[in-house]
Amino acid sequence: MVELIAVLLLVGVLAVVALPRLDGSLGLRGTAWRDQVQAGLLQARSLATGHRRLVCVTVTIGAVRLAMASANPASSCNTTLPGPDGDARWAVDPQSLAVTVSPAGTLFVQPDGRITSDGAGLTAVNASVAIAGETTLQITGETGHVR
């Protein structure tokens, strides 16, 4: 009986110590995903201005994908850009946290760094990317600034 009480007491102490740490590390996953999305958006702007080509950014639950136009001028992207690890995704969220992009759909990064809602670059758009439990990323269309 004494051993059973000792084991239960030990399990209780471990639960009190370990669960808050586990919860804290799970909370960091959302922050890491938000940072990956932000890095993908910044990389898209850098690629568009550096290569003077249209770059298309698609943010979905669990992935950020980039594609680039093979020629300039262009109104659509036809070349998938592999991410840092060679995968077609620039950012990956294994948790598949809810992501809301406003306006919905693909964001087009023009060669001059502007973010537009169309490939032709006619309408600069201020966009936002909301990730469950994290602060929203704000994108300024005229400058391409991501904060």
Side-chain angles (χ1 to χ4, degrees):
M1 189 68 158
V2 173
E3 290 90 8
L4 182 62
I5 292 173
V7 168
L8 289 175
L9 184 64
L10 183 61
V11 168
V13 168
L14 286 175
V16 167
V17 172
L19 286 180
R21 289 183 185 205
L22 180 62
D23 186 44
S25 66
L26 291 177
L28 291 177
R29 287 185 184 172
T31 303
W33 171 234
R34 180 188 177 279
D35 290 346
Q36 285 183 37
V37 171
Q38 183 176 9
L41 291 166
L42 293 171
Q43 184 66 31
R45 183 172 184 267
S46 177
L47 287 167
T49 57
H51 289 275
R52 304 295 297 162
R53 306 252 173 167
L54 177 69
V55 175
C56 303
V57 181
T58 307
V59 180
T60 59
I61 294 175
V64 173
R65 298 178 191 277
L66 302 182
M68 181 184 284
S70 59
N72 195 18
S75 60
S76 65
C77 299
N78 55 4
T79 305
T80 301
L81 296 173
D85 60 355
D87 191 356
R89 300 169 295 181
W90 275 78
V92 180
D93 175 29
Q95 282 184 288
S96 296
L97 293 174
V99 175
T100 305
V101 180
S102 177
T106 301
L107 297 173
F108 297 90
V109 184
Q110 299 298 323
D112 61 1
R114 293 180 309 117
I115 309 291
T116 62
S117 59
D118 59 302
L122 301 176
T123 310
V125 63
N126 292 331
S128 64
V129 179
I131 297 170
E134 296 297 322
T135 56
T136 301
L137 291 170
Q138 299 293 330
I139 305 161
T140 306
E142 283 299 324
T143 62
H145 183 72
V146 179
R147 57 186 142 78

